[in-house]
Amino acid sequence: MHCTYPNGPIRSTFFPRDFYNSVDNQFPQRKIPQFVAPLPGRRITKSTPTPPRRRAGLPAIAVGMDEDEVRTEAWWGRRAWVLLSAVRARAPLVQCITNLVSMDIVANALLAAGASPAMLHCLREVPDFIPRCDAVYINVGTLSEDWLPSMRAAASAGRPWVFDPVAVAASGFRMEACLSLLALCPAVVRGNASEILALASRSDNSSFKGVDSSHDSSDALQAAKALARSNGSVVAVSGAVDFITDGVQVVSASNGVPMMQKITATGCAVTALIAAFVGADPSDALVAAACALAIFGLAGELGMESARGPASLRMHLIDALYSLDEQTVTSRVKISLLP
Ligand SMILES: Nc1ncnc2c1ncn2[C@@H]1O[C@H](COP(=O)(O)OP(=O)(O)OP(=O)(O)O)[C@@H](O)[C@H]1O
Ligand SMILES: Cc1ncsc1CCO
Ligand SMILES: [Mg+2]
């Protein structure tokens, strides 16, 4: 199975064959509209060192950056600011089917960044609501059999979507569920190192711990590249250094503080932020993921200046995300393209 985007146009809408039957025939043969790209010429494209859109004769992306510019750290800083500004200006609607632990921090992080979160998870609402969303975020942290059909339907609805495979190796059921979601072509998969290693190897072997990583992000870099290549999704591994890859390029994002691991669901929140960035500008999922990870890490660094422990860091991180300004973002975002 290899997803067609980020290489090509976003998939057309489809629902699982049993979808309408499974909701009491309340939606008699109703079909949701096909995905319509928000701006002409926009599509999810894999970024390459040589800008593909210009070569392909495609219009410049909406945010007005010059794609021929060399991707220095300063370029990434400007890009991160432009994307954060796009989130603030467009307030992308992000439908989140996320775990029960993370709902609060996910919604608050999205709001602080300027996006509009919606934490709906009822299968019967998917056909009406998902077409209105700019992006979908799916997180299996507190997976149950009841929620899986909603996740599958939301992921199949033709919107760009971002996947957080929390504790994918915890059980055979969870691994199967994650693999079935992976087949529905997420624009970005973001996990910690243990999760990406397990997902790439399709192994639910018990040496993997629960939701926390027992590996460094660099341990999962090759697995992330392989997964990105085989699935066609951008894959991001979080940790002290975050790595983001489309299977060819690898970008590192080095913002953040270790205490972010002591707040539950910071990983869930940053994956939701990636969805907001993709929703605001779906033209390049790799750039969106790298910038969202760096921005979130930067908010952690700024929050840490006033924090006294995990609980106050949580509060100050959200405040910092809300208050980020151009000078701070452009001078402090640490992203680079690895050779
Ligand atoms: N040692 C570290 N130093 C700096 N930042 C870190 C460190 N570890 C994690 N982070 C940052 O913390 C955030 C969460 O990443 P982490 O890898 O802990 O996610 P996770 O394990 O999926 O979390 P959760 O499952 O609790 O949501 C990311 O933004 C990441 O960059
Ligand atoms: C602690 C925990 N358990 C299931 S999901 C979650 C939040 C971090 O992923
Ligand atoms: Mg996680």
Side-chain angles (χ1 to χ4, degrees), residues 139 164 166-167 190-192 195 211 267-268:
N139 175 310
D164 192 326
V166 177
R190 194 293 314 171
N192 64 38
E195 288 159 351
V211 300
C268 310

Side-chain angles (χ1 to χ4, degrees), residues 4-334:
T4 52
Y5 77 84
N7 277 325
I10 292 168
R11 291 155 58 93
S12 61
T13 299
F14 71 92
F15 272 64
R17 193 171 294 168
D18 61 350
F19 173 71
Y20 294 101
N21 294 339
S22 65
V23 289
D24 307 326
N25 299 322
Q26 289 295 304
F27 301 101
Q29 302 310 310
R30 184 176 181 282
K31 286 222 162 47
I32 67 171
Q34 295 257 317
F35 172 74
V36 178
L39 290 174
R42 273 205 185 175
R43 56 182 198 168
I44 303 261
T45 53
K46 202 174 262 189
S47 67
T48 62
T50 314
R53 298 179 66 83
R54 184 160 296 182
R55 272 192 279 113
L58 292 168
I61 50 176
V63 289
M65 302 288 296
D66 184 345
E67 289 187 76
D68 283 337
E69 281 181 271
V70 178
R71 296 188 174 190
T72 58
E73 198 161 288
W75 183 93
W76 283 104
R78 290 196 302 278
R79 188 74 181 156
W81 174 249
V82 167
L83 285 177
L84 179 62
S85 302
V87 170
R88 289 174 175 173
R90 294 176 186 166
L93 178 56
V94 184
Q95 152 71 355
C96 306
I97 304 182
T98 188
N99 70 69
L100 298 163
V101 184
S102 72
M103 282 188 178
D104 181 89
I105 193 172
V106 164
N108 278 303
L110 287 176
L111 279 173
S116 179
M119 324 306 276
L120 282 62
H121 59 259
C122 175
L123 179 64
R124 290 168 66 153
E125 294 183 301
V126 166
D128 288 334
F129 191 66
I130 298 287
R132 300 180 201 161
C133 296
D134 296 291
V136 172
Y137 168 45
I138 295 176
N139 175 310
V140 294
T142 49
L143 184 63
S144 74
E145 279 178 295
D146 295 348
W147 282 24
L148 191 52
S150 304
M151 292 175 178
R152 290 179 52 77
S156 307
R159 312 306 294 172
W161 76 281
V162 176
F163 182 33
D164 192 326
V166 177
V168 54
S171 68
F173 171 68
R174 189 174 290 242
M175 176 61 75
E176 289 270 308
C178 286
L179 291 174
S180 75
L181 289 165
L182 198 61
L184 299 173
C185 303
V188 183
V189 182
R190 194 293 314 171
N192 64 38
S194 296
E195 288 159 351
I196 296 302
L197 280 164
L199 196 58
S201 65
R202 300 173 166 244
S203 157
D204 58 0
N205 142 353
S206 58
S207 71
F208 294 102
K209 279 174 66 182
V211 300
D212 297 322
S213 188
S214 37
H215 299 86
D216 291 336
S217 52
S218 55
D219 298 340
L221 183 49
Q222 293 313 318
K225 285 176 82 171
L227 183 60
R229 272 197 300 272
S230 65
N231 206 63
S233 304
V234 166
V235 177
V237 192
S238 57
V241 176
D242 306 314
F243 294 104
I244 306 96
T245 181
D246 57 10
V248 180
Q249 299 176 90
V250 181
V251 173
S252 66
S254 319
N255 295 98
V257 291
M259 199 179 286
M260 290 167 76
Q261 293 168 96
K262 295 291 179 195
I263 309 170
T264 192
T266 46
C268 310
V270 78
T271 316
L273 193 63
I274 293 170
F277 275 46
V278 169
D281 183 355
S283 64
D284 193 325
L286 182 135
V287 170
C291 290
L293 279 154
I295 290 274
F296 192 76
L298 176 56
E301 290 171 14
L302 296 167
M304 199 63 214
E305 291 169 9
S306 317
R308 297 194 322 179
S312 51
L313 176 57
R314 184 185 194 278
M315 177 179 80
H316 289 299
L317 186 158
I318 291 169
D319 283 353
L321 192 53
Y322 175 75
S323 309
L324 282 170
D325 60 37
E326 181 172 3
Q327 210 277 331
T328 309
V329 171
T330 53
S331 64
R332 290 191 54 173
V333 154
K334 285 187 235 149

